[in-house]
Amino acid sequence: MKLVYISAFFGIARVVSGMCPSYTDYSAVPHGPYSSGAQKIPSMRPPLVCRTFNNPTIESAIRDISSSIKDPDWQQLFSNIFPNTLDTTVAWHNSSAPFTFLVTGDITAQWIRDSSNQVLPYLPYTATDSALSMLVLGLINMQAEELDAYPFGNAFQPPTRSGLKPTQNGIGVNLNVFPKFDNKAVFEAKFEIDSFASFFQVSSSYWRATRDARFIYNEAWESAVSKILDIIVLLQQPTYNGRVLNKPVVGYTRLTSEAKETQFGSGLGNPVKYTGMVRTLFRPSDDATILPFLVPANAFLCVELEHLSNMLKILRVFPDIRDKAMKLASQIRSGINKHGVAMHATHGKVFAYEVDGYGSVLLTDDANGPSLLSMPYLGFVNASHPVYQNTRNMVLSFEDNPWYFDGSYIRGLGSPHTSYLKVWPMAVAMRGMTSDNSEEVKECLDMILASTSGLGLIHES
């Protein structure tokens, strides 16, 4: 079947029509040559003509880094996964505007959180590679346009001008969502505050890497940031104003047999008191929150509000936005420290996963980030912080975390999103990245390597 692929040779986007299989199909079968190690890791990069963005700088980095890896299996696995975003997910890139639309996998839709994370590994190379910097700058401009149009969305359809065909959301039916959205522009309207944080993160991280601040003069970027800050203020407010219900800000209900796919309280979420934290309807796993103050997502938002404010301070622009962002960050941090820490019977003081301000707490963690396990990676606390260390011990405990599983090849965090007894390798990777114990790091690397199912890629679960 002939498919149209957007390919980039030396950073110049062009359309290539050919007999390229979908990467979903291509990645389901191992391809040679294989590594010489015990795992016999296959070569899983698509053929050159089928790659969606070719970049000489990244190709050079792959060669340099691979040559420093002694284990032949990890050498091959790294060569497969590091360029995967460029190889398979750049669905549309207009380098002159610039605008970039990144798909997350086999769905022609762009998640704000996922697309931000997809480009972060390439930021160290953007200062010296203009094609790569235009790719990331294009993503920032695209996210700004999306969030300016509908700030409550977590995933978006490709813009009409891209020529890409939108994907119908199979679960986007029987919904009652407000504010209303256009399903031709928004793929999914599960409101997640980590989408806000991710947009701020890719913006400030790109600026720190390149000192290129052109995106802030994009009218849509300033408008999106302003709208987001206003929404954050509204979502800090309690559910009740005395005996009266405060005006709802966002809601989501869906006719479904799974509780994780809809929200409590006619879509508003369970009630909260004011804490300084920000309510969210859904977790980064796209599952509904039980208690609306999702602590790790608030920690992520706090850090990125601080980064946003510091960037604007150095650039000497938008003082009102700068000051508002820092004030909100301070309120969120105070709220987490006061209301997001609970006493565990075994581990002592720990960060809760979710709270409501009334005293209810949920002591668990989820595989997807932002998570409690990832809090040092996010920059909210140091890995040596005593409350984090207690939290880490709780999270990585089969006895104390109902979503921690121990399998034949891998052990780590799972998620209600994929039900019971399924470990997510991304959580194993996060465990390694937040550890200073070399044996623990090696254990994590060994588990990831052993769980590729012979397909030479790191799986979600």
Side-chain angles (χ1 to χ4, degrees):
M1 178 181 178
K2 284 199 171 187
L3 299 174
V4 175
Y5 282 77
I6 297 185
S7 187
F9 292 91
F10 304 102
I12 303 173
R14 64 173 180 155
V15 174
V16 175
S17 181
M19 299 300 293
C20 294
S22 73
Y23 192 69
T24 301
D25 294 334
Y26 185 85
S27 63
V29 179
H31 304 271
Y34 295 79
S35 65
S36 60
Q39 295 289 336
K40 304 297 182 187
I41 300 295
S43 301
M44 299 305 292
R45 298 187 68 183
L48 184 63
V49 71
C50 297
R51 297 174 190 172
T52 58
F53 191 92
N54 285 283
N55 182 267
T57 298
I58 295 303
E59 295 302 321
S60 177
I62 293 169
R63 290 190 296 271
D64 291 345
I65 296 172
S66 295
S67 66
S68 68
I69 299 173
K70 294 180 180 180
D71 185 294
D73 288 333
W74 259 109
Q75 188 179 71
Q76 182 64 65
L77 185 58
F78 171 79
S79 297
N80 291 341
I81 62 177
F82 183 63
N84 190 260
T85 286
L86 303 183
D87 284 353
T88 69
T89 71
V90 185
W92 176 64
H93 175 54
N94 181 337
S95 59
S96 60
F99 283 97
T100 304
F101 189 84
L102 292 184
V103 297
T104 296
D106 58 350
I107 301 171
T108 308
Q110 177 173 284
W111 269 257
I112 298 295
R113 173 193 59 255
D114 294 353
S115 61
S116 295
N117 279 288
Q118 284 168 256
V119 300
L120 291 182
Y122 307 127
L123 288 181
Y125 307 97
T126 53
T128 56
D129 189 303
S130 59
L132 207 54
S133 67
M134 287 303 97
L135 185 78
V136 181
L137 180 60
L139 176 65
I140 297 169
N141 289 338
M142 189 78 262
Q143 289 187 357
E145 185 177 288
E146 292 164 342
L147 291 169
D148 183 39
Y150 189 74
F152 299 97
N154 63 315
F156 292 84
Q157 300 277 18
T160 302
R161 63 186 183 278
S162 71
L164 298 172
K165 185 179 179 181
T167 300
Q168 182 177 355
N169 188 348
I171 66 169
V173 295
N174 298 317
L175 296 177
N176 182 14
V177 177
F178 68 89
K180 298 293 184 182
F181 67 95
D182 178 3
N183 60 15
K184 293 180 180 179
V186 178
F187 179 79
E188 191 166 59
K190 288 181 172 179
F191 174 65
E192 304 165 359
I193 60 171
D194 58 272
S195 294
F196 292 168
S198 296
F199 172 53
F200 296 155
Q201 179 188 42
V202 72
S203 297
S204 62
S205 296
Y206 171 78
W207 172 76
R208 287 196 300 273
T210 63
R211 285 306 192 256
D212 178 6
R214 279 176 289 177
F215 62 87
I216 71 169
Y217 303 108
N218 173 358
E219 183 178 342
W221 188 87
E222 180 187 359
S223 177
V225 171
S226 295
K227 288 178 181 178
I228 288 170
L229 297 188
D230 288 344
I231 291 168
I232 288 173
V233 171
L234 293 174
L235 291 172
Q236 288 180 307
Q237 303 312 306
T239 302
Y240 307 113
N241 181 8
R243 298 177 181 271
V244 180
L245 186 69
N246 270 323
K247 183 179 179 180
V249 180
V250 59
Y252 184 105
T253 57
R254 173 176 166 239
L255 183 62
T256 176
S257 61
E258 297 186 85
K260 65 185 180 65
E261 290 295 334
T262 190
Q263 255 301 348
F264 301 92
S266 301
L268 304 182
N270 278 315
V272 297
K273 290 178 69 175
Y274 178 84
T275 64
M277 284 185 280
V278 183
R279 284 177 284 152
T280 188
L281 296 183
F282 288 87
R283 300 169 177 175
S285 61
D286 297 340
D287 295 339
T289 52
I290 297 173
L291 303 175
F293 292 135
L294 179 57
V295 172
N298 271 272
F300 185 27
L301 183 58
C302 169
V303 170
E304 295 309 328
L305 284 166
E306 291 169 346
H307 288 162
L308 171 67
S309 181
N310 289 331
M311 177 181 69
L312 298 181
K313 180 179 180 180
I314 293 171
L315 292 171
R316 298 182 179 182
V317 293
F318 308 143
D320 291 345
I321 293 177
R322 175 200 68 205
D323 294 344
K324 188 173 185 178
M326 188 57 76
K327 181 179 179 181
L328 289 170
S330 177
Q331 291 170 345
I332 294 170
R333 187 175 288 275
S334 176
I336 292 174
N337 290 333
K338 184 175 181 180
H339 299 276
V341 177
M343 184 63 69
H344 191 280
T346 301
H347 301 285
K349 283 187 177 181
V350 298
F351 288 111
Y353 187 65
E354 292 173 356
V355 300
D356 62 3
Y358 284 98
S360 300
V361 297
L362 182 61
L363 299 180
T364 185
D365 202 10
D366 191 274
N368 208 346
S371 60
L372 293 178
L373 188 62
S374 72
M375 288 176 82
Y377 173 81
L378 301 174
F380 186 77
V381 293
N382 293 324
S384 60
H385 192 287
V387 176
Y388 172 75
Q389 281 296 314
N390 292 346
T391 306
R392 185 183 183 90
N393 291 334
M394 175 192 74
V395 164
L396 299 177
S397 167
F398 184 78
E399 295 294 328
D400 297 313
N401 182 4
W403 294 101
Y404 183 85
F405 306 122
D406 192 349
S408 301
Y409 297 97
I410 191 170
R411 56 191 176 91
L413 287 169
S415 171
H417 191 69
T418 47
S419 194
Y420 307 117
L421 302 177
K422 294 178 181 177
V423 175
W424 289 34
M426 70 166 69
V428 177
M430 184 56 68
R431 177 186 170 191
M433 289 191 292
T434 52
S435 175
D436 58 4
N437 184 305
S438 59
E439 291 184 4
E440 183 178 23
V441 172
K442 184 180 184 302
E443 180 188 8
C444 292
L445 292 172
D446 290 344
M447 287 191 290
I448 291 171
L449 191 62
S451 63
T452 64
S453 301
L455 293 176
L457 296 168
I458 297 177
H459 304 288
E460 179 177 88
S461 63

